């Protein structure tokens, strides 16, 4: 998926569409994204957790397979469109929302006990909260108070 999406952008199939051409030609939107950026690393780590810890009983469920394919497609698009960061982030996030359904299914299939599951959910919440406050909020606050013309 990632290789195909990268080829589509390189060939220029979407160059005639005004919004796509603005995104690919403008340096503010068309910059490339590194493979080892936090969002990409998180997506890769979640994918590894999904693959490594999925119980065999989950693989027989159609809803789980659909969500896993959606997440895999989003990860492929995220990594395949690294040269156009805005597409990589937006399309990867679109399909990456399957994560919020897959991870609880994986935890439920592998870990018994309500207290243990609640502890894991709280730990994930703390990690996500820490990452949001320390990495995303400072950029959002500085961008919020910057005048529109000064990017």
């Amino acid at each position: 998926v990632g290789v195909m999406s990268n080829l589509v952008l390189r060939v220029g199939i979407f160059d005639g569409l005004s919004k796509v051409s603005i995104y690919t030609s403008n340096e503010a939107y068309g910059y490339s994204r590194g493979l080892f950026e936090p969002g990409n690393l998180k997506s890769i780590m979640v994918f590894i957790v999904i693959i490594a810890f999925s119980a065999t009983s989950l693989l027989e469920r159609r809803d789980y397979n659909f969500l896993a394919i959606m997440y895999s497609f989003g990860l492929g698009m995220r990594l395949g469109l690294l040269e156009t960061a805005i597409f990589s982030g937006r399309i990867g996030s679109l399909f990456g929302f399957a994560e919020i359904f897959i991870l609880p299914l994986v935890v439920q299939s592998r870990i018994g006990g309500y207290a243990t599951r609640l502890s894991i959910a709280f730990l994930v919440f703390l990690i996500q909260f820490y990452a949001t406050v320390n990495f995303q909020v400072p950029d959002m606050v500085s961008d919020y108070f910057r005048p529109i013309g000064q990017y």
Side-chain angles (χ1 to χ4, degrees), residues 40-116:
N40 295 336
L41 287 178
K42 177 190 171 277
S43 297
I44 293 169
M45 289 173 27
V46 167
F47 185 72
I48 291 170
V49 166
I50 290 169
I51 296 299
F53 295 111
S54 292
T56 54
S57 62
L58 279 179
L59 299 176
E60 298 169 0
R61 294 178 55 173
R62 295 178 78 195
D63 57 346
Y64 173 79
N65 288 330
F66 174 72
L67 291 170
I69 289 170
M70 265 183 47
Y71 191 80
S72 301
F73 186 77
L75 180 63
M77 294 298 278
R78 177 179 284 276
L79 298 179
L81 297 173
L82 286 175
E83 294 178 6
T84 311
I86 196 158
F87 285 143
S88 171
R90 287 186 178 182
I91 295 175
S93 296
L94 174 70
F95 293 104
F97 277 107
E99 168 190 343
I100 64 171
F101 301 108
I102 293 175
L103 288 179
L105 287 173
V106 170
V107 170
Q108 182 183 21
S109 71
R110 285 289 182 182
I111 298 172
Y114 179 75
T116 308

Side-chain angles (χ1 to χ4, degrees), residues 124-138:
V124 169
F125 169 76
L126 287 178
I127 292 170
Q128 188 71 34
F129 182 77
Y130 176 80
T132 300
V133 167
N134 288 313
F135 297 117
Q136 292 177 332
V137 170

Side-chain angles (χ1 to χ4, degrees), residues 6-61:
N6 195 348
L7 286 175
V8 166
L9 276 180
R10 285 183 185 266
V11 171
I13 292 174
F14 295 119
D15 285 347
L17 301 173
S18 63
K19 194 129 182 147
V20 175
S21 64
I22 289 172
Y23 284 153
T24 56
S25 64
N26 190 339
E27 290 181 17
Y29 297 115
Y31 64 94
S32 65
R33 171 177 275 175
L35 179 64
F36 297 109
E37 288 193 8
N40 295 336
L41 287 178
K42 177 190 171 277
S43 297
I44 293 169
M45 289 173 27
V46 167
F47 185 72
I48 291 170
V49 166
I50 290 169
I51 296 299
F53 295 111
S54 292
T56 54
S57 62
L58 279 179
L59 299 176
E60 298 169 0
R61 294 178 55 173

